[in-house]
């Protein structure tokens, strides 16, 4: 069931979204060769405390059930890691790329966003992957309008990504967002334009394409969380939480 939000609720989600954007920006400026992903996580946890926000990824139950809950506030996925990388003692190296996915709940409403950041100087192809993944996200956001089908969002992302030679991860998709981090509907980053629910005023969704330099196949590592590309190629991830309004899509997690 898709929960439509009132303008007052969207105003609350804007506040949560701004907090996510501020914290991600703080993480972005702290990314440099030598810093560990655990140190980045500590920054996010500290910022949540300051704001009385709940870092929702921490202790998030494993989707398969029985698996261990996610242990940190951020997902930190380096290079061939696609999503759900667990922060640890790994220190970032010049030339790496790192995707950080971060969500919180503030005053009862959720915000969720992700960025991929180059560590120092990176290869041309890595930079191109990062740029086009973010552009693909914005192609999708552009279609998030009253009267469109959700499939138009999904299709725009896939078309743009594939046109530029990147593959789109299928196993992980965006989602509705509101009082809960994950609500209906699922928001795939691929598919046909004439599919999915019709978009209505008050729908709030997180759109989050994951693009690979190589093939689209991924698998989950033995730690039960970290998803990597099967061919070891680089992967990038961008996400915004958005509201569908009578003035078009509003990005809630944009600074
Ligand atoms: Mg998300």
């Amino acid at each position: 069931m898709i929960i439509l939000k009132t303008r007052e609720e969207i105003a609350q989600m804007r506040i949560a979204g701004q907090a996510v954007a501020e914290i991600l920006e703080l993480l972005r400026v702290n990314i440099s060769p030598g810093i560990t992903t655990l140190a980045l996580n500590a920054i996010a946890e500290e910022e949540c405390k300051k704001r009385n926000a709940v870092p929702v990824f921490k202790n998030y139950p494993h989707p398969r059930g029985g698996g261990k809950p996610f242990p940190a506030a951020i997902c930190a996925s380096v290079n061939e890691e696609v999503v759900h990388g667990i922060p640890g003692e790994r220190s970032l190296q010049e030339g790496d790329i790192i995707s950080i996915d971060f969500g919180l709940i503030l005053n009862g409403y959720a915000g969720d966003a992700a960025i991929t950041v180059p560590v120092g100087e990176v290869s041309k192809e890595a930079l191109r992957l990062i740029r086009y993944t973010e552009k693909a996200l914005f192609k999708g956001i552009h279609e998030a309008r009253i009267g469109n089908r959700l499939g138009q969002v999904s299709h725009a992302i896939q078309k743009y990504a594939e046109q530029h030679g990147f593959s789109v991860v299928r196993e992980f998709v965006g989602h509705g967002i509101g009082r809960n981090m994950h609500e209906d509907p699922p928001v795939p980053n691929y598919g046909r334009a004439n599919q999915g629910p019709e978009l209505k005023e008050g729908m709030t969704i997180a759109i989050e394409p994951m693009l690979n330099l190589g093939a689209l196949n991924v698998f989950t590592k033995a730690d039960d969380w970290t998803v990597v590309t099967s061919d070891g190629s680089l992967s990038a991830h961008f996400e915004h939480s958005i509201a569908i309004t009578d003035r078009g899509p509003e990005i809630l997690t944009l600074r």
Side-chain angles (χ1 to χ4, degrees), residues 130-140 160 164 209 238:
I130 291 172
R131 288 207 179 118
Y132 280 92
T133 305
E134 187 171 25
K135 284 183 178 190
L137 167 60
F138 278 88
K139 291 286 176 188
Y160 187 78
H164 291 91
F238 279 86

Side-chain angles (χ1 to χ4, degrees), residues 60-71:
Y60 199 88
H62 196 278
R64 276 203 315 278
K68 61 178 182 188
F70 193 78

Side-chain angles (χ1 to χ4, degrees), residues 57 101 112-113 173-175 177 181-182 206-208 237 239 241:
F57 296 175
D101 192 349
D112 189 8
V173 300
H175 47 92
I177 183 168
M181 177 62 54
H182 296 110
I207 306 175
E208 49 178 320
H237 181 204
E239 175 178 20
S241 301

Side-chain angles (χ1 to χ4, degrees), residues 14-56:
R14 196 177 289 131
I15 295 169
Q18 287 307 298
V20 170
E22 285 167 21
I23 294 170
L24 271 178
E25 175 59 16
L26 188 61
L27 295 173
R28 194 186 64 76
V29 299
N30 273 279
I31 289 169
S32 62
I35 194 165
T36 66
T37 49
L38 207 53
L40 293 170
N41 182 67
I43 294 171
E45 293 202 14
E46 181 62 31
E47 291 299 315
C48 283
K49 256 191 211 136
K50 278 191 206 163
R51 292 170 163 85
N52 271 321
V54 181
V56 249

Side-chain angles (χ1 to χ4, degrees), residues 164-181:
H164 291 91
F166 302 103
S167 64
V168 176
V169 173
R170 304 291 202 268
E171 283 87 340
F172 299 89
V173 300
H175 47 92
I177 183 168
R179 285 196 166 272
N180 293 301
M181 177 62 54

Side-chain angles (χ1 to χ4, degrees), residues 2-234:
I2 298 173
I3 303 166
L4 300 180
K5 279 77 178 182
T6 63
R7 289 187 183 195
E8 291 70 29
E9 288 178 297
I10 290 173
Q12 288 297 317
M13 291 186 67
R14 196 177 289 131
I15 295 169
Q18 287 307 298
V20 170
E22 285 167 21
I23 294 170
L24 271 178
E25 175 59 16
L26 188 61
L27 295 173
R28 194 186 64 76
V29 299
N30 273 279
I31 289 169
S32 62
I35 194 165
T36 66
T37 49
L38 207 53
L40 293 170
N41 182 67
I43 294 171
E45 293 202 14
E46 181 62 31
E47 291 299 315
C48 283
K49 256 191 211 136
K50 278 191 206 163
R51 292 170 163 85
N52 271 321
V54 181
V56 249
F57 296 175
K58 195 161 184 177
N59 300 316
Y60 199 88
H62 196 278
R64 276 203 315 278
K68 61 178 182 188
F70 193 78
I74 63 168
C75 298
S77 309
V78 181
N79 296 337
E80 77 285 1
E81 297 173 352
V82 180
V83 279
H84 304 163
I86 299 174
E89 295 299 341
R90 175 180 193 163
S91 60
L92 298 177
Q93 307 292 312
E94 178 105 19
D96 285 345
I97 65 171
I98 178 172
S99 301
I100 296 185
D101 192 349
F102 174 63
L104 55 69
I105 291 183
L106 184 58
N107 298 323
Y109 288 90
D112 189 8
I115 54 175
T116 301
V117 183
V119 182
E121 291 273 317
V122 304
S123 70
K124 254 189 190 161
E125 59 175 7
L127 213 50
R128 189 168 174 274
L129 171 69
I130 291 172
R131 288 207 179 118
Y132 280 92
T133 305
E134 187 171 25
K135 284 183 178 190
L137 167 60
F138 278 88
K139 291 286 176 188
I141 291 172
H142 184 74
E143 298 298 327
R145 295 172 187 281
I146 297 169
N148 275 5
R149 304 283 294 264
L150 184 61
Q152 287 172 261
V153 173
S154 308
H155 182 72
I157 293 169
Q158 181 184 13
K159 189 177 162 200
Y160 187 78
E162 291 178 351
Q163 257 174 6
H164 291 91
F166 302 103
S167 64
V168 176
V169 173
R170 304 291 202 268
E171 283 87 340
F172 299 89
V173 300
H175 47 92
I177 183 168
R179 285 196 166 272
N180 293 301
M181 177 62 54
H182 296 110
E183 295 183 354
D184 278 339
V187 181
N189 302 301
Y190 60 93
R192 298 218 315 255
N194 60 358
Q195 290 177 327
E198 187 186 317
L199 301 179
K200 296 198 165 85
E201 182 169 2
M203 280 179 64
T204 45
I205 56 176
I207 306 175
E208 49 178 320
M210 289 142 243
L211 269 52
N212 299 343
L213 260 187
L216 56 83
N217 313 71
V218 300
F219 69 92
T220 303
K221 287 173 75 171
D223 67 12
D224 247 11
W225 279 104
T226 311
V227 176
V228 294
T229 57
S230 298
D231 60 9
S233 69
L234 294 177

